[in-house]
């Protein structure tokens, strides 16, 4: 919405958001049955003006022209809630065929065997670039706690002089509850063709900070704490990084 000056129609009409803001490293399904594919890069090359896209790639793996010339917005989440979110997504998605337990996933992640990982290597690759003028870094927890402040800072970073009315529209239509119910943002198109099984988990699940406490055993929590402490101690480029593991806020 910020790229479109806070216009809610940018996410309320037209194609699903996944097609408007594609993953750089993936293909875009299209056709009536979403049974055909187009490379995201080919799709982006056809667009005029500002092009917005997302990626799971680390800074090392992202093309350097992108890293040097594009405006980079990096959002990280505390690793405990990240593991829980990953668990439900992998269980619900036919792409992974994952049928393991939360304990197994904790073991995999803390051994740096996980999709889009290792977690700390990925985070470090961007965190050490946080002082670059073209890089904006925040956390999911900060965004949930202070959405107005973060969105205002982000709009300034993107060179958008937003009015209060535009900020209000952006805050309202981009909050978790609204996006969870919006069929153009909640991945309903993939549920409809069986790529995501909503009976296992919706793409937008709870959005809660601290949801890990409902899933981790004391042993799992100790293992993750030790893994976090080890990486923060051994990676000097992560100096200044802090995680927020619990929070109270209203998702609306």
């Amino acid at each position: 919405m910020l790229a479109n000056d806070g216009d809610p129609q940018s996410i309320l009409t037209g194609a699903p958001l996944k097609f408007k803001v594609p993953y750089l490293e993936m293909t875009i399904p299209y056709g009536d049955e979403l049974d055909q594919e187009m490379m995201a890069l080919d799709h982006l090359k056809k667009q005029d003006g500002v092009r917005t896209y997302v990626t799971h790639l680390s800074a090392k793996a992202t093309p350097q022209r992108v890293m040097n010339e594009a405006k980079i917005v990096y959002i990280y989440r505390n690793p405990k809630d990240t593991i829980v979110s990953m668990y439900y997504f992998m269980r619900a998605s036919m792409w992974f065929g994952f049928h393991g337990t939360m304990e197994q996933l904790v073991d995999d992640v803390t051994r740096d065997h996980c999709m889009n990982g290792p977690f700390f290597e990925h985070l470090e690759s961007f965190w050490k670039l946080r002082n670059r003028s073209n890089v904006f870094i925040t956390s999911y927890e900060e965004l949930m706690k202070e959405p107005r402040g973060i969105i205002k800072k982000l709009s300034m970073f993107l060179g958008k002089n937003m009015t209060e009315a535009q900020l209000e529209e952006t805050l309202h239509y981009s909050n978790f509850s609204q996006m969870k119910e919006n069929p153009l943002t909640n991945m309903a198109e993939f549920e409809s063709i069986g790529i995501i099984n909503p009976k296992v988990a919706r793409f937008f699940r709870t959005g809660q900070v601290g949801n890990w406490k409902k899933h981790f055993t004391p042993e799992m929590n100790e293992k993750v704490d030790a893994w976090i402490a080890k990486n923060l101690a051994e990676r000097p480029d992560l100096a200044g990084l802090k995680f927020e593991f619990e929070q109270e806020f209203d998702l609306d």
Side-chain angles (χ1 to χ4, degrees):
M1 284 185 66
L2 289 178
N4 290 280
D5 300 315
D7 182 4
Q9 295 307 308
S10 63
I11 61 172
L12 295 178
T13 61
L17 187 62
K18 184 176 179 63
F19 304 150
K20 294 175 182 175
V21 186
Y23 281 90
L24 184 65
E25 68 273 22
M26 298 173 69
T27 57
I28 302 172
Y30 70 98
D32 292 339
E33 301 298 324
L34 299 182
D35 56 352
Q36 302 176 66
E37 294 184 336
M38 177 191 300
M39 293 296 295
L41 283 174
D42 293 334
H43 172 72
L44 290 165
K45 287 176 182 178
K46 295 178 180 179
Q47 294 184 2
D48 295 322
V50 176
R51 294 177 295 178
T52 307
Y53 44 91
V54 291
T55 183
H56 287 123
L57 298 175
S58 69
K60 293 179 181 178
T62 302
Q64 287 307 295
R65 183 178 176 186
V66 172
M67 292 301 304
N68 293 330
E69 298 181 17
K71 290 197 172 183
I72 309 295
V73 179
Y74 185 80
I75 301 178
Y76 65 93
R77 191 175 189 180
N78 82 65
K80 296 180 182 181
D81 282 324
T82 298
I83 291 172
V84 173
S85 180
M86 187 186 300
Y87 171 80
Y88 280 102
F89 179 66
M90 291 175 67
R91 294 269 301 184
S93 173
M94 65 167 286
W95 288 308
F96 300 101
F98 177 73
H99 302 290
T101 64
M102 185 74 73
E103 184 176 10
Q104 289 173 321
L105 186 59
V106 166
D107 286 342
D108 287 344
V109 173
T110 54
R111 288 187 292 116
D112 294 333
H113 296 163
C114 65
M115 65 175 184
N116 307 315
F119 178 89
F120 281 99
E121 184 176 311
H122 193 291
L123 179 51
E124 181 183 42
S125 73
F126 282 95
W127 183 257
K128 66 183 181 181
L129 305 177
R130 65 191 182 281
N131 294 321
R132 282 193 184 183
S133 61
N134 70 320
V135 176
F136 181 96
I137 296 182
T138 190
S139 69
Y140 176 82
E141 294 78 20
E142 289 174 329
L143 184 58
M144 292 297 100
K145 184 168 61 175
E146 297 289 343
R148 172 178 284 276
I150 297 298
I151 288 176
K152 196 164 186 176
K153 289 178 182 177
L154 180 55
S155 68
M156 294 173 65
F157 169 76
L158 295 174
K160 295 291 183 177
N161 186 20
M162 306 283 283
T163 66
E164 282 300 312
Q166 289 171 324
L167 281 173
E168 285 300 325
E169 293 275 58
T170 303
L171 281 165
H172 176 72
Y173 287 103
S174 66
N175 76 40
F176 187 91
S177 299
Q178 287 288 323
M179 294 188 73
K180 183 175 182 177
E181 297 303 319
N182 182 350
L184 297 185
T185 59
N186 66 10
M187 295 291 186
E189 68 276 11
F190 289 124
E191 293 179 0
S192 68
I193 60 174
I195 293 178
I196 294 176
N197 184 353
K199 293 181 179 179
V200 176
R202 302 293 304 275
F203 184 77
F204 280 79
R205 204 171 56 84
T206 71
Q208 296 174 342
V209 177
N211 188 246
W212 62 271
K213 291 186 287 185
K214 297 180 180 179
H215 296 83
F216 279 18
T217 64
E219 293 75 20
M220 291 159 62
N221 191 43
E222 288 177 9
K223 179 174 289 188
V224 173
D225 279 341
W227 169 69
I228 293 171
K230 180 176 185 292
N231 276 277
L232 292 181
E234 295 180 353
R235 297 179 182 272
D237 283 332
L238 288 178
L241 176 70
K242 293 182 180 180
F243 295 118
E244 196 166 352
F245 294 104
E246 52 187 307
Q247 195 177 86
E248 293 184 5
F249 55 81
D250 186 350
L251 288 175
D252 293 321

